[in-house]
Amino acid sequence: MRARFTGKTMVLGVTGSIAAYKACEIASRLVELGASVIPVLTRSARELVGPASLEAITGNRAILGMFEPLQNPEIEHIAVARRADLFLIAPATANILAKAAHGLADDWLSTTLLATRAPLLFAPAMNTMMYQHPATQANIALLAARGACFVGPGTGRLACGDEGPGRLADIPHILEAAAMALTRDKDLAGRRVLITSGANQEPIDPVRFIGNASSGRMGRALALEALCRGARVCVVAGPSDVVPPEAAERVSVRTAAEMHDAVMQRFDGCDIFFAVAAVADYRAAAVNQAKIKRTGPMTLELLPNADIVAEAARRRRSGQVVAGFAAETDNVPGNAAAKLAAKGLDMILANRVGGADCAIGAEDSEAWLLRANQPPETLGRASKSDIARRLVDAAAEMLR
Ligand code: CTP
């Protein structure tokens, strides 16, 4: 994610919704990700959040009005319009959507939205009735038809006490949408990517299951990378607190059999299948209907589960790419090469796990990319998003 923001100039336009106070958190997260953030506050936004907070967070002067920048050519509106990589309007009121849709230019933000050719991302936040009003909906449709992006609004209890759509999207979703809007190279446009992610739970009785430590974070990083590059993404996800990006379709499953069925229903329609999940290799031969009582030593009979990625590789048509993962404690590239061949995959990402600094769920790990009939490529210690980018590069190359 960080690589998408580092060195980028983002205009954060804050307009007069109650959610304006959340702009400080958004700015802080963007700065943390390496972006240079120019805060802009409309007159109504200034009633709700002060420029001093945004200036302290971003280290940049907040732009408040059309004429003040005349003293400072750095923030003159045409200069900023040219320099910006993205305009993020969060929160976006019905008023700024109407002005942007119709080309009104009566303050710094609306004027600069006309002058820029940078991508626009709006995060609407307003009362449900205002959001659902045909005028607002028509303005959104008009902006979307011109290529503007939207994130949210979410649904829930609003500041006015009403329930419904109108809440500012959650900040992680805004950041994901910003990463997508910042990515110009859409080399996976029109492609479908299917991903299995996380771990399975194989029940033993109503309260116990066999599981593993896979977090779902690698699947999430891959889904975001593919979305940024224009793909339609479906994540078949085992139970996890790490949720796939908002823009991906999520199919929630528990057991390996459910994951298998969900994948097989969708596999024929995908261009790339990334099997990231740590699929449970075994299930209990019988699931006890009642909670098992402690009686002394016990033996659990296990039956093997189907190998999802191997089955997908067997049934793939030409033009489909099938990629697997191998988490290994030793002989990492060697064991991964054996899996690549045995499962008939196009590529496999090998990771070292175990040891103090290579725990499952660690942010970085030592990784290798192996492709059929090619020597292993060492990726060194790589973060999940670096690995995701490299894997998507390799899959996109194969599709070409
Ligand atoms: N995989 C799968 N279905 C299974 C088991 C594994 O799709 N039933 C996929 C994983 O998603 C991963 C790859 O196969 O992409 C390798 O998984 P791994 O568990 O390392 O392979 P196994 O064949 O189970 O080997 P091991 O004996 O090391 O557990």
Side-chain angles (χ1 to χ4, degrees), residues 140-178:
I140 289 173
L142 203 55
L143 288 164
R146 278 193 222 126
C149 306
F150 287 84
V151 54
T155 297
R157 194 180 168 281
L158 306 177
C160 55
D162 283 1
E163 289 266 340
R167 281 169 66 97
L168 183 71
D170 291 342
I171 292 174
H173 298 159
I174 295 177
L175 300 176
E176 288 163 13

Side-chain angles (χ1 to χ4, degrees), residues 196 275-281 305-309 324-328 339 343:
T196 60
V276 189
V279 182
D281 286 330
N305 284 324
D307 191 313
I308 301 170
V309 75
F325 273 71
E328 304 288 339
K339 279 180 188 170
K343 299 188 190 223

Side-chain angles (χ1 to χ4, degrees), residues 29-44:
R29 299 292 303 279
L30 291 171
V31 169
E32 229 172 76
L33 286 166
S36 164
V37 178
I38 302 174
V40 182
L41 290 148
T42 62
R43 185 179 293 279
S44 330

